[in-house]
Amino acid sequence: MRMTAFLKSLPLMLLVLVGTGLDSSYSAEKTFITIGTGGPTGVYFVVGNAICRMVHKEAAEGRKTGRKHGIRCAAPSTGGSIYNINQMSTGELDFGVVQSDWQYHAANGTSLFEGKKFDKLRAVFSVHAEPFQILVGQGKDISNWQDLKGKRVNIGNPGSGQRGTFEVLLGAYGVDKSYFGQTTELTSTEQSRALCDGNIDAYGYTVGVPNAGVAQAADGCGASIISLDGDEVKMLVDENPFYTMATIREGVYSTTERDITTFAVMATLVTSADTPDDVVYEVVRAVFENLDDFRRLHPAFAELDPQDMITKGISARFHPGAIKYFQEKGMM
Ligand code: GLU
């Protein structure tokens, strides 16, 4: 994080150095933004880097036409949703990709954010759907939730969205992690390897479909996704606006022999009210003006629909910079 701290202080140092005599409060020349993502084999990492790519594309085109925004963007891999929210609240990250359930809880001060409401959390847009997936190792004889009892299960690293959502799921079943024989806290990057090596029997992961991490275990060593369609899950979805039921289609991975039913959240881009309006406006503009290019950067983005991106999974207030763009385009 020291590098981030350095990079974060850089624009300020430059402003101090060259700021005297300039009366523009927002200097387009010197803005460096960071977007928190997730593990390097997940989809968030691609979301963040795809956004940066569009921002830099607009910068390059702007140099030709004289429309300068001057924003430089980086999207490092991080511990995931909850980590990103916490880092945005302390100003360490400017933007973050976060699950819609944790966006809701952070904005409302509920669940893990009870007493820690992030008042300045602002929505920018949503991206792809993220079904909660339990992957089980080949030959483990686990085909439903009940079969997981007493097994070795990775519940995810603290700070990841899936860790939080897994705990919520355990609560919905009226149990805690002692329901499993053993739990591990591996990151999304470590868990597929552990599953293939036989060190764990299953893991839970909230992630877009398809993705490299799950493919590593499914196509690589025969792991498969089980359905989560019991009454407990249906009740969870009924009671919470940020959950929906979802289907993972047959054939997505080599071991997906039939449609899988589970619950899902949305991946969303959020920021802080402290991020300048012009910066948020330019980020939104870069993505929406280049949506076809954006869609091509990951199969999970293929179906992105602009209207869904400003409605689905949004519970925090929109950032004014985002509103400005959506209103200009008549979308809002
Ligand atoms: N949903 C996960 C999280 O919030 C990240 C998934 C991904 O990296 O694509 O931590």
Side-chain angles (χ1 to χ4, degrees):
M1 281 300 97
R2 278 163 96 188
M3 190 62 183
T4 318
F6 169 73
L7 292 173
K8 293 272 308 177
S9 58
L10 197 59
L12 196 65
M13 294 188 316
L14 288 173
L15 274 174
V16 170
L17 285 176
V18 301
T20 4
L22 296 176
D23 52 14
S24 151
S25 58
Y26 166 66
S27 178
E29 296 295 332
K30 322 157 193 77
T31 309
F32 193 97
I33 57 166
T34 46
I35 305 175
T37 64
T41 55
V43 186
Y44 284 13
F45 190 63
V46 185
V47 171
N49 283 282
I51 294 170
C52 287
R53 197 157 151 177
M54 297 309 135
V55 167
H56 296 155
K57 178 174 185 267
E58 281 297 314
E61 273 161 23
R63 278 193 286 276
K64 289 180 227 146
T65 60
R67 190 191 175 281
K68 280 193 190 167
H69 68 51
I71 302 170
R72 303 244 160 193
C73 180
S77 109
T78 72
S81 286
I82 294 168
Y83 174 91
N84 295 342
I85 293 170
N86 291 335
Q87 294 286 301
M88 274 181 286
S89 70
T90 59
E92 282 292 315
L93 288 169
D94 305 297
F95 291 84
V97 189
V98 310
Q99 290 179 199
S100 51
D101 49 350
W102 299 114
Q103 179 195 136
Y104 178 97
H105 291 309
N108 291 288
T110 46
S111 185
L112 292 177
F113 289 91
E114 201 175 321
K116 291 185 289 180
K117 182 171 165 177
F118 180 13
D119 265 320
K120 289 185 172 175
L121 184 67
R122 293 291 178 272
V124 182
F125 54 77
S126 68
V127 200
H128 57 284
E130 300 189 273
F132 183 85
Q133 298 155 63
I134 291 190
L135 244 89
V136 302
Q138 189 176 33
K140 296 290 176 188
D141 238 11
I142 302 170
S143 55
N144 55 39
W145 175 262
Q146 283 67 33
D147 294 339
L148 286 165
K149 193 168 193 240
K151 296 293 194 298
R152 297 168 305 167
V153 180
N154 185 50
I155 54 172
N157 61 289
S160 67
Q162 56 268 11
R163 170 58 176 273
T165 305
F166 210 146
E167 284 173 7
V168 170
L169 182 66
L170 284 163
Y173 278 103
V175 295
D176 62 19
K177 58 186 186 167
S178 65
Y179 180 71
F180 303 127
Q182 192 193 321
T183 52
T184 54
E185 300 188 320
L186 303 174
T187 65
S188 59
T189 320
E190 297 164 328
Q191 63 193 3
S192 285
R193 179 69 183 273
L195 192 64
C196 288
D197 287 348
N199 296 329
I200 53 173
D201 302 314
Y203 68 69
Y205 194 11
T206 328
V207 68
V209 181
N211 71 82
V214 172
Q216 191 189 343
D219 302 336
C221 68
S224 53
I225 308 167
I226 61 169
S227 277
L228 290 171
D229 53 3
D231 289 344
E232 294 84 349
V233 172
K234 286 179 187 148
M235 207 192 291
L236 200 58
V237 170
D238 284 346
E239 286 172 356
N240 295 288
F242 40 79
Y243 294 133
T244 52
M245 293 305 292
T247 303
I248 299 170
R249 293 280 167 221
E250 172 192 345
V252 173
Y253 299 109
S254 56
T255 54
T256 319
E257 286 164 359
R258 60 184 71 84
D259 284 358
I260 303 293
T261 306
T262 180
F263 69 107
V265 294
M266 294 298 291
T268 68
L269 184 72
V270 293
T271 188
S272 157
D274 290 338
T275 310
D277 293 2
D278 320 48
V279 173
V280 178
Y281 174 86
E282 291 296 343
V283 167
V284 173
R285 184 182 181 279
V287 171
F288 280 75
E289 297 292 319
N290 296 285
L291 206 52
D292 284 334
D293 288 349
F294 191 88
R295 285 190 192 99
R296 278 193 283 272
L297 295 176
H298 195 284
F301 309 156
E303 308 290 315
L304 287 183
D305 172 71
Q307 209 56 48
D308 286 349
M309 290 170 78
I310 65 168
T311 46
K312 285 190 175 177
I314 306 288
S315 44
R317 286 160 61 189
F318 272 108
H319 192 285
I323 294 177
K324 180 172 177 240
Y325 179 82
F326 300 138
Q327 284 182 342
E328 251 175 41
K329 291 285 154 181
M331 297 167 69
M332 208 174 234

